[in-house]
Amino acid sequence: MDNPVSDHARTEAGQSRMPATGNANWLADPAHEAPVTGTRVCVIGAGFVGLVTAAGLAQSGHTVVCVEKNEQKAAELANGDVSLYERDLPEMVNANLRRKRLSFSTDLASSVVDQDVILVAVSTPPSSQGQVDLTAFDEVLATLATVIRPDQVVVIKSTVPVGTARRAAECLNRTIGKTGQVPVVSCPEFLRESTAIYDYFHPARIVVGGSNREAVDRVVRLYRAGLAEAAPIVVTENEIAELVKYAANVYLAMRLSYINELSAVCDALHVAVGDVAYTMGLDRRIGSKYLAVGPGFGGSCLPKDLDAYIAMAERLGIDLVLAPAIRESNQRHLARTVQKVRGVVGGDFKGKRIGALGLAFKAHTHDVRSSPALAVIQVFLSEGAVVRAFDPAAMAQAQPLIPQVTMCETALDVATEADALVLLTEWPEFQVLDWAEARRRMPEARIVDARNLLSPEMMRRHGFLYVGLGQ
Ligand code: UGA
């Protein structure tokens, strides 16, 4: 019999990752045509943040030009061809292209001229020392400095080290000289990949940092146009806005490491971590979100921002204990996930056929940057395992990074002749796989569920040796 508390814990954990009901906000329905606001916006960068922001602003009624220096990408986007795997984004881009509220350009200098607000949303990847590589950001600043006017507002959306807005203002205003000051506003983004459009229209908060009141108000109005329901708007200093982004991501990473570590304790005690997490989360001071166990946290943001935060503290001469421990804890948890698989295949990966279900760093995205799935697969490969994999969206992105892995056409194909399966990404389709058929295809049915996605009782009924995390 399924334990009802366990079932509830699984449902809660799933919901914490994916809003169940799409866009409840009518403003976010691509078919809805918001009144024109008359505000002209330039969004620089058509990466994940830039493109979602450009689409969200256009959908809110602003007139947006999005600048992308990659000519092929800009041309594809201008044709409505959105290659990012992000729910509702292609529809929203296309609806606003048709309304002529959204356009794409490769020419930064000329695109900035007629705009009221310029948002910088270029990528700020990690540098080799774990700091932030501001090359793309600085290139944009250098061009802006040649064309910007004091009646325009520059908004920093990219995640940047504390103090960057102040430095950017100095850079821009050096060239403008005595004719006025260009206001620089910090407006960090808190969008999650896979629910980004939902998050854009249902923000938990909007943070606007800056010292020029008129500029800050302009940015607040820009975002308020996309809100059907009230959201706290925090007007603050640039430095606080910049730091909040790091503080939030490091805190989320800490919660994830906490629950992943707790799963090891639960394993040793033979109790279900889902039940503990669910019961803990009922305390409103704790809450239920970000308490679903996984193979380790990943993605393009949490690990990078954790590293940058640690590097910043080092520069400030602060000897942090907790943040480096989060990083270490995540590494150990990844190793624990590998150990679970080692356990079910008898200790040695050499020649073992491992079937991997999931490659993306989380479900509903094709992003494999810092994916924990790839990290554990790389260990299997390095120890001589033969790995076959399936992911509903991320196989093309993953293949160049793990060329030795055979990508399968279906999830069931992964099971064929596999010595063990390992479920690494919480795609809902894995929950409803024909597990009886998967069982038939395996010489010995063994599965490690690194997302605790499946019902242990159901899997055992199908004849699997089922191993979860902290179950
Ligand atoms: C994260 C933050 O959640 C966003 O608020 C922020 O805007 C974004 O980084 C950013 O800085 O741009 P994202 O990287 O899309 O968003 O991913 P999350 O949904 O936060 O997931 C991060 C990792 O934690 C994934 O590996 C995911 O599988 C894992 N996770 C998440 C769990 O293992 N359990 C959970 O309960 C939730």
Side-chain angles (χ1 to χ4, degrees):
M1 281 283 285
D2 278 6
N3 174 343
V5 179
S6 291
D7 276 354
H8 199 166
R10 272 194 295 277
T11 312
E12 285 289 303
Q15 280 175 355
S16 74
R17 296 172 185 165
M18 193 75 184
T21 52
N23 290 313
N25 178 351
W26 50 271
L27 274 175
D29 177 355
H32 169 76
E33 192 161 337
V36 177
T37 62
T39 306
R40 290 156 308 176
V41 189
C42 174
V43 177
I44 305 170
F48 167 73
V49 174
L51 191 57
V52 172
T53 304
L57 289 168
Q59 178 70 17
S60 310
H62 309 305
T63 305
V64 182
V65 56
C66 183
V67 178
E68 169 55 53
K69 72 176 183 182
N70 179 324
E71 288 182 12
Q72 190 189 338
K73 189 170 174 187
E76 284 168 6
L77 287 168
N79 276 328
D81 184 0
V82 179
S83 58
L84 268 179
Y85 188 100
E86 188 63 48
R87 198 164 58 148
D88 297 335
L89 183 63
E91 293 80 1
M92 198 165 281
V93 166
N94 277 286
N96 288 288
L97 280 170
R98 280 194 299 276
R99 292 178 191 129
K100 303 208 180 313
R101 292 191 184 170
L102 180 60
S103 59
F104 293 90
S105 168
T106 50
D107 185 353
L108 175 53
S110 69
S111 299
V112 164
V113 176
D114 291 329
Q115 313 304 325
D116 303 307
V117 183
I118 292 109
L119 281 93
V120 185
V122 293
S123 125
T124 50
S127 73
S128 47
Q129 298 83 32
Q131 296 180 358
V132 184
D133 179 352
L134 290 169
T135 312
F137 183 84
D138 286 340
E139 272 173 20
V140 166
L141 267 193
T143 307
L144 282 183
T146 62
V147 286
I148 201 81
R149 299 186 313 267
D151 61 311
Q152 297 175 307
V153 180
V154 173
V155 181
I156 302 180
K157 287 302 297 171
S158 306
T159 300
V160 289
V162 178
T164 304
R166 196 171 291 275
R167 183 172 70 77
E170 279 165 16
C171 163
L172 297 176
N173 289 313
R174 239 193 326 268
T175 32
I176 291 201
K178 291 202 180 61
T179 57
Q181 293 282 302
V182 181
V184 177
V185 171
S186 305
C187 187
E189 61 84 17
F190 301 102
L191 308 169
R192 292 163 298 175
E193 286 186 34
S194 79
T195 52
I197 294 289
Y198 178 90
D199 290 348
Y200 182 93
F201 289 95
H202 300 81
R205 76 297 209 191
I206 292 169
V207 180
V208 186
S211 51
N212 178 318
R213 190 69 219 192
E214 199 279 321
V216 164
D217 283 350
R218 208 187 290 180
V219 177
V220 167
R221 282 198 300 276
L222 199 68
Y223 273 91
R224 200 172 262 150
L227 298 180
E229 58 198 50
I233 297 181
V234 182
V235 172
T236 184
E237 298 159 29
N238 287 101
E239 287 78 3
I240 290 180
E242 289 168 333
L243 183 56
V244 160
K245 175 63 197 260
Y246 288 103
N249 274 359
V250 172
Y251 177 79
L252 293 174
M254 181 182 74
R255 269 179 86 97
L256 296 171
S257 285
Y258 178 80
I259 200 69
N260 285 338
E261 219 166 63
L262 186 66
S263 76
V265 175
C266 289
D267 264 332
L269 293 173
H270 305 289
V271 297
V273 68
D275 294 358
V276 180
Y278 169 69
T279 314
M280 258 174 74
L282 291 176
D283 185 330
R284 276 191 287 274
R285 293 171 304 172
I286 296 172
S288 63
K289 311 286 191 220
Y290 281 75
L291 288 181
V293 295
F297 64 79
S300 67
C301 302
L302 263 46
K304 164 185 89 114
D305 290 352
L306 177 59
D307 287 348
Y309 175 79
I310 294 168
M312 176 183 73
E314 274 168 13
R315 275 198 314 281
L316 294 169
I318 300 162
D319 189 13
L320 294 178
V321 174
L322 187 54
I326 298 169
R327 192 162 58 185
E328 170 67 18
S329 169
N330 200 41
Q331 284 306 322
R332 288 199 200 184
H333 187 69
L334 283 165
R336 210 178 283 133
T337 304
V338 171
Q339 281 304 97
K340 293 249 174 189
V341 185
R342 198 189 296 285
V344 301
V345 298
D348 187 3
F349 285 123
K350 194 152 180 51
K352 295 285 162 35
R353 291 157 303 185
I354 310 284
L357 293 170
L359 298 164
F361 84 97
K362 64 174 177 181
H364 306 284
T365 174
H366 64 187
D367 198 343
V368 294
R369 285 175 289 173
S370 296
S371 170
L374 297 202
V376 301
I377 287 171
Q378 259 141 1
V379 179
F380 304 151
L381 293 170
S382 70
E383 297 190 23
V386 178
V387 182
R388 287 154 51 83
F390 173 79
D391 186 289
M395 292 195 287
Q397 275 72 17
Q399 183 76 89
L401 302 171
I402 42 172
Q404 312 93 309
V405 172
T406 304
M407 299 294 169
C408 295
E409 287 204 354
T410 67
L412 273 178
D413 289 346
V414 169
T416 306
E417 298 301 317
D419 293 309
L421 293 175
V422 52
L423 192 157
L424 293 163
T425 312
E426 73 284 16
W427 287 100
E429 38 267 73
F430 297 152
Q431 245 167 343
V432 293
L433 197 69
D434 183 348
W435 287 106
E437 174 58 20
R439 163 78 193 91
R440 281 191 284 277
R441 294 181 180 209
M442 297 175 73
E444 280 183 73
R446 301 182 279 215
I447 183 163
V448 173
D449 178 0
R451 295 281 181 174
N452 287 358
L453 185 75
L454 309 170
S455 153
E457 293 77 12
M458 176 193 79
M459 294 307 286
R460 286 176 193 135
R461 271 201 302 272
H462 282 304
F464 274 85
L465 167 68
Y466 173 90
V467 177
L469 301 184
Q471 289 203 332

